[in-house]
Structure formats: C-alpha cells, structure tokens
Amino acid sequence: RPDDEVCVIVGSPARATNTSKDLLAQIFQEVVDEVQVLSEPFLVAYGYDSLVNNLVIDIGAGTVDLCALKGAMPGQNSQVTVNKAGNFVDEQLEALITEVYPDVQMNTHVARAIKEKSGYVGDAPSQITADLRANGRPVSYDVTQMVGQACEMLIPGIIEGIDQLIQSCPPEDQAEMLRNILVAGGGSRIIGIDTYIQAALVDYYGDVSVKCVDEPVYAVARGALKLATELPPRYWEKLGNVTDY
C-alpha cells in the first residue's frame, strides 16, 4: 500500500569494500525506506541455519566467495574472495574448444550455455556433444574433455581459500567446520563439485564433508528473506557494526 515501508536486504560479495557497499546502499535508499548490504555467504548460511562452525562456498559468475561462520556476523578476516569464477570458466572453455576445433565459431555466450547444461568435474557422467557452427554449417562436436578441464580450473582457488579460512579458525573448531562445508551459487550446479572438493581435502585434513545446497538459484534470497522476517528492520543497522572474531 502507498503508506507501507519497504525494507530490503541486499547481498554482496564476501570481501566487498565498505565503499562498494555504501554505493549499493545509496542506490537502494532512493527507492526504499530501509536497506542493509550483507555478505552473500552469510545469507546462505542463515537460510540453512548453519551459522556455527560452518564454511560456505558461494560460486557466482564474477567471484567465488568463501566464509567461515562462527555464530556471528563474519568480518573481513573470516571471508575470502576468489576472482576466478563462472565467467572465468566460460572464457577458458571458449579457448579450449577453439584450440581443439579451430574452425568452430565460438564466443563466451555459447561456452556458458554448454557449461550450464553439462558442466562437471572429476569423471564425466557421459559424453558431452555440442551442436556448434563451423564456417556457418551446423556440426556436432565432442567437448567432454574441454568442459571438465575448464570447470576444474575453479578448484585450486577454492582449496586455497578453504585452507586459509581453516587455519584462521581456533584449532578446537576446525574439525567440525571441515565436516560442515556448504557449496552454493550457480557453480554448485556443476556435476560432482561437492565430491571433488571433498576428495581434494580428505588427503590433507582427513574427515571432511562437503554438500551442495538444494536450491542454488535462491539460496542467498532465501537467507535474506528469513533474516528480514525474523529480525525487525529497526535492528538491521546493528548487523553491520561488528568486529572480526
């Protein structure tokens, strides 16, 4: 109704600068009554009631955001942003296909469609055939190896980010956190990414459990809505006034 207040929670990359967050808030302040800009991995964790000794990996288009949750709003030292994410995979896949099939007409839009339909890491679930164009003619190509190779380029940065966050946690909490790793974002739809990350960590850390969220498209929004429903907007400003733990 015309006299209703509109209050909005906006998700941002884990290590977005305060300047960037302020700019986002200013944009929304022009059209809403109250706004708070919060870390997307934190919102994922809130939506899944996973705020204590959990680690969230949010694989988006521009960044992979990792966050160690210890029961409070995470600070900068408890979050890591990796700048190689979905868009990077698209670019690498385009380059790999072009290298193997030099006559094919490729761009990142075509590569992204192949990745979103058939992306995988580890063992290929089946042969991946893409209907592409070569000199204007439609031709089917086997792109199985290229898809897997491009998607696996995400993993080193993710493992490095996990290592960094685990080492920053108190030793008594590390084992539990390694058993509670949650993968979200569009990249969580890559087939086998949870088991692949888990296998990469087991040799070094031992007991590790990694799983993907059940609704990657809406996981951040679900957490934001849950928080907005449970915490009255008059308390929202306190969410940003935290120190790292």
Side-chain angles (χ1 to χ4, degrees):
R1 295 185 299 272
D3 58 342
D4 281 342
E5 282 193 340
V6 179
C7 304
V8 178
I9 290 178
V10 181
S12 71
R15 291 183 64 85
T17 64
N18 289 332
T19 300
S20 296
K21 291 180 180 180
D22 288 343
L23 288 171
L24 272 176
Q26 288 171 23
I27 292 169
F28 277 87
Q29 284 167 355
E30 296 177 4
V31 292
V32 303
D33 298 289
E34 183 69 40
V35 60
Q36 182 62 256
V37 181
L38 300 176
S39 159
E40 291 180 347
F42 168 79
L43 292 173
V44 171
Y46 196 93
Y48 281 84
D49 295 318
S50 302
L51 292 178
V52 180
N53 292 335
N54 285 263
L55 196 153
V56 173
I57 306 166
D58 183 20
I59 307 174
T63 62
V64 178
D65 296 311
L66 300 95
C67 181
L69 283 306
K70 306 171 189 176
M73 181 69 68
Q76 289 288 308
N77 294 335
S78 297
Q79 303 187 85
V80 171
T81 291
V82 180
N83 292 318
K84 291 181 179 179
N87 293 341
F88 172 75
V89 173
D90 301 338
E91 294 166 1
Q92 296 305 307
L93 180 55
E94 177 189 2
L96 289 168
I97 292 175
T98 303
E99 180 181 354
V100 176
Y101 304 115
D103 293 334
V104 76
Q105 294 174 279
M106 277 292 297
N107 57 39
T108 53
H109 299 291
V110 175
R112 182 177 301 117
I114 296 171
K115 177 200 69 179
E116 291 180 348
K117 179 181 179 181
S118 307
Y120 77 94
V121 290
D123 296 329
S126 61
Q127 185 184 50
I128 300 170
T129 301
D131 295 327
L132 304 174
R133 293 266 172 180
N135 301 318
R137 295 182 299 107
V139 184
S140 293
Y141 292 94
D142 180 356
V143 295
T144 309
Q145 183 178 353
M146 287 133 274
V147 171
Q149 185 176 344
C151 290
E152 287 178 13
M153 291 181 184
L154 285 175
I155 304 301
I158 292 174
I159 298 302
E160 184 178 342
I162 293 172
D163 288 338
Q164 181 178 333
L165 289 179
I166 291 298
Q167 291 178 35
S168 73
C169 296
E172 64 271 21
D173 297 332
Q174 293 178 7
E176 184 178 356
M177 188 164 290
L178 285 163
R179 292 193 296 268
N180 293 283
I181 298 177
L182 192 62
V183 186
S188 68
R189 292 181 290 183
I190 294 174
I191 297 170
I193 195 162
D194 49 351
T195 55
Y196 196 90
I197 293 173
Q198 181 173 306
L201 295 170
V202 162
D203 288 343
Y204 190 78
Y205 287 111
D207 188 11
V208 177
S209 178
V210 182
K211 62 181 180 179
C212 293
V213 298
D214 53 6
E215 46 179 26
V217 175
Y218 299 108
V220 172
R222 184 173 82 169
L225 181 59
K226 184 173 186 288
L227 178 60
T229 303
E230 295 178 352
L231 186 67
R234 64 179 178 273
Y235 296 120
W236 285 9
E237 286 192 5
K238 296 181 180 179
L239 290 170
N241 298 331
V242 297
T243 56
D244 206 3
Y245 42 77

